[in-house]
Amino acid sequence: MSKMWSREIRLVSRPNGMPTTANFTLAQVELDSLQDQQVLVRNLFISVDPYMRGRMNDGKSYVPPFELGKPLEGGAVGEVIESRAMEFKPGDAVTSNCGWREYFIASPKELRRVSRDVQPLSVYLGALGMTGMTAWVGLNLVEVKAGDVVFISGAAGAVGNVAGQLSKLRGCRVIGSAGSMEKVMLLREECGFDIAFDYKVGPVVEQLNLEAPDGIDVYFDNVGGETLEAALSTLRVHGRIIACGGISGYNESKPRPGPSNLFNMVTKTLTMKGFIVRDWLDRQGEFEDEVGGLLRAGKLKNKETVVRGISQAVAAFIGLFEGKNVGKMVVKLN
Ligand SMILES: NC(=O)c1ccc[n+]([C@@H]2O[C@H](COP(=O)([O-])OP(=O)(O)OC[C@H]3O[C@@H](n4cnc5c(N)ncnc54)[C@H](OP(=O)(O)O)[C@@H]3O)[C@@H](O)[C@H]2O)c1
């Protein structure tokens, strides 16, 4: 292997509140020469995700914090350039957790081969990847079924739009909230939502009560905060909450007090289930069969926002907290 260089994004300081470009740097590194049982991969698409914000804090969580001065990690899909391991050959498409960089050297166990039959390959970061699986796991967790009225926040995002499309395919009535009229129209016209509203134009509880006067059976929570409080008020007796995320609080320096109406959990005998998608990896094959089949049959749409170039990756990440994406936010590398 001739001398190779790669650019990578590193965290140089921990954000206080909203991340800024000053928290990151773009560094250039020379790759080591390839050894036996190693594979050289060129990333084609890298993922930026809201959960990464939590890893930028220095604190105990379900994943360790990112280290300062080291390249960030995250989902990526790439192609094998050179291989000294029998498991992979040049041209193979692979997913890894070695995102935020252009090239990397890995051992075979760090890579997973994916089919090129489904295109674009960025689908393995979105509908057929971690965020699609999060939607699928969440719906299964509370057994969403035909006839349920399902309310989804962050509905135009990566997890939300798939959760909505899958709920529709299960025969549910689906309501979504998102942060602009453009997103509302997209949910109604392209993702099959029955109703969608812009949570920024008025109190969520009022808009939700207007759209679901008889209440909701399931709330798929991607944002927490005011929207969770509204859902607690609107859920019917025996209603279920899928606790998936709480992006409205990710940039708060202090934890916010919980919902003022949590007592609805008792009076309406509600169930709230939280989960982390990586605990469900033993079901990945089942997820890929089901959701891959729906994608191939044209029954499920892969929605994504593509930003170009590693130098734009930080802006894409920050953009998640400004609602700049529709569907999965991915960075396409040149
Ligand atoms: N439990 C798990 O294993 C798991 C796995 C993956 C993701 N998640 C969580 O699922 C949620 C969605 O993730 P994703 O990857 O699909 O991201 P995403 O929804 O594609 O992107 C983030 C979106 O959040 C919305 N947003 C930003 N700030 C907000 C605020 N203050 N209030 C309300 N909405 C806000 C923006 O849309 P608007 O324009 O609509 O505001 C933005 O487009 C996140 O909370 C994430 O942490 C959980």
Side-chain angles (χ1 to χ4, degrees), residues 50 134 157-159 178-179 183 199 222 244-246 248 250 275-277 320 325:
T134 301
V159 174
K183 291 186 179 185
Y199 70 88
N222 285 314
C244 176
S248 70
Y250 290 178
F275 70 104
I276 297 293
V277 67
L320 292 169
N325 61 308

Side-chain angles (χ1 to χ4, degrees), residues 72-190:
L72 296 168
E73 294 166 2
V77 55
E79 71 178 350
V80 173
I81 300 293
E82 196 179 333
S83 175
R84 291 185 62 179
M86 58 185 281
E87 294 90 333
F88 294 97
K89 60 178 188 320
D92 282 348
V94 291
T95 56
S96 75
N97 197 38
C98 300
W100 295 93
R101 68 203 81 181
E102 293 175 309
Y103 294 87
F104 65 93
I105 289 173
S107 65
K109 65 177 188 326
E110 293 175 272
L111 305 174
R112 186 162 186 267
R113 187 184 294 99
V114 290
S115 163
R116 286 185 184 266
D117 291 351
V118 192
Q119 291 284 342
L121 287 175
S122 50
V123 72
Y124 291 106
L125 304 177
L128 205 44
M130 186 273 282
T131 53
M133 186 157 166
T134 301
W136 181 83
V137 167
L139 298 179
N140 287 346
L141 199 61
V142 303
E143 295 170 10
V144 169
K145 58 182 187 312
D148 280 337
V149 178
V150 181
F151 169 49
I152 301 165
S153 58
V159 174
N161 91 85
V162 176
Q165 292 189 66
L166 291 178
S167 301
K168 275 312 293 177
L169 289 166
R170 287 186 187 193
C172 304
R173 179 169 170 73
V174 183
I175 304 169
S177 63
S180 71
M181 262 330 277
E182 289 76 17
K183 291 186 179 185
V184 165
M185 295 312 288
L186 173 122
L187 291 174
R188 289 186 193 153
E189 289 169 9
E190 291 182 40

Side-chain angles (χ1 to χ4, degrees), residues 26-310:
L26 181 62
Q28 180 151 314
V29 289
E30 188 183 343
L31 296 182
D32 293 335
S33 51
L34 205 62
Q35 305 294 315
D36 281 345
Q37 283 307 302
Q38 286 189 330
V39 183
L40 171 66
V41 178
R42 174 169 78 100
N43 274 333
L44 302 171
F45 295 95
I46 60 173
S47 183
V48 290
D49 297 272
Y51 82 85
M52 294 168 173
R53 175 64 186 85
R55 293 195 69 186
M56 290 170 190
N57 295 334
D58 194 11
K60 206 170 166 217
S61 185
Y62 66 98
V63 269
F66 288 127
E67 285 182 60
L68 295 181
K70 297 269 175 68
L72 296 168
E73 294 166 2
V77 55
E79 71 178 350
V80 173
I81 300 293
E82 196 179 333
S83 175
R84 291 185 62 179
M86 58 185 281
E87 294 90 333
F88 294 97
K89 60 178 188 320
D92 282 348
V94 291
T95 56
S96 75
N97 197 38
C98 300
W100 295 93
R101 68 203 81 181
E102 293 175 309
Y103 294 87
F104 65 93
I105 289 173
S107 65
K109 65 177 188 326
E110 293 175 272
L111 305 174
R112 186 162 186 267
R113 187 184 294 99
V114 290
S115 163
R116 286 185 184 266
D117 291 351
V118 192
Q119 291 284 342
L121 287 175
S122 50
V123 72
Y124 291 106
L125 304 177
L128 205 44
M130 186 273 282
T131 53
M133 186 157 166
T134 301
W136 181 83
V137 167
L139 298 179
N140 287 346
L141 199 61
V142 303
E143 295 170 10
V144 169
K145 58 182 187 312
D148 280 337
V149 178
V150 181
F151 169 49
I152 301 165
S153 58
V159 174
N161 91 85
V162 176
Q165 292 189 66
L166 291 178
S167 301
K168 275 312 293 177
L169 289 166
R170 287 186 187 193
C172 304
R173 179 169 170 73
V174 183
I175 304 169
S177 63
S180 71
M181 262 330 277
E182 289 76 17
K183 291 186 179 185
V184 165
M185 295 312 288
L186 173 122
L187 291 174
R188 289 186 193 153
E189 289 169 9
E190 291 182 40
C191 297
F193 281 61
D194 296 285
I195 298 165
F197 63 86
D198 179 350
Y199 70 88
K200 290 181 177 164
V201 302
V204 179
V205 71
E206 286 177 19
Q207 298 200 72
L208 188 56
N209 281 331
L210 200 67
E211 305 297 4
D214 299 325
I216 58 174
D217 299 295
V218 176
Y219 172 46
F220 196 119
D221 189 15
N222 285 314
V223 308
E226 181 198 350
T227 312
L228 172 58
E229 203 161 272
L232 281 163
S233 295
T234 312
L235 276 156
R236 295 171 177 162
V237 169
H238 301 316
R240 295 101 83 199
I241 301 173
I242 303 159
C244 176
I247 194 168
S248 70
Y250 290 178
N251 289 313
E252 307 264 325
S253 31
K254 280 194 201 144
R256 241 182 299 159
S260 62
N261 57 351
L262 194 62
F263 200 60
N264 277 300
M265 294 292 297
V266 178
T267 55
K268 292 197 268 189
T269 60
L270 305 177
T271 304
M272 184 173 190
K273 287 191 181 175
F275 70 104
I276 297 293
V277 67
R278 72 168 189 190
D279 294 341
W280 290 68
L281 288 180
D282 59 329
R283 303 276 303 272
Q284 193 169 5
E286 194 187 326
F287 155 72
E288 286 174 347
D289 287 348
E290 184 180 330
V291 173
L294 293 170
L295 277 164
R296 285 187 188 89
K299 293 182 177 167
L300 185 87
K301 292 178 186 151
N302 179 46
K303 294 281 169 201
E304 61 181 19
T305 299
V306 183
V307 168
R308 281 166 202 277
I310 194 159

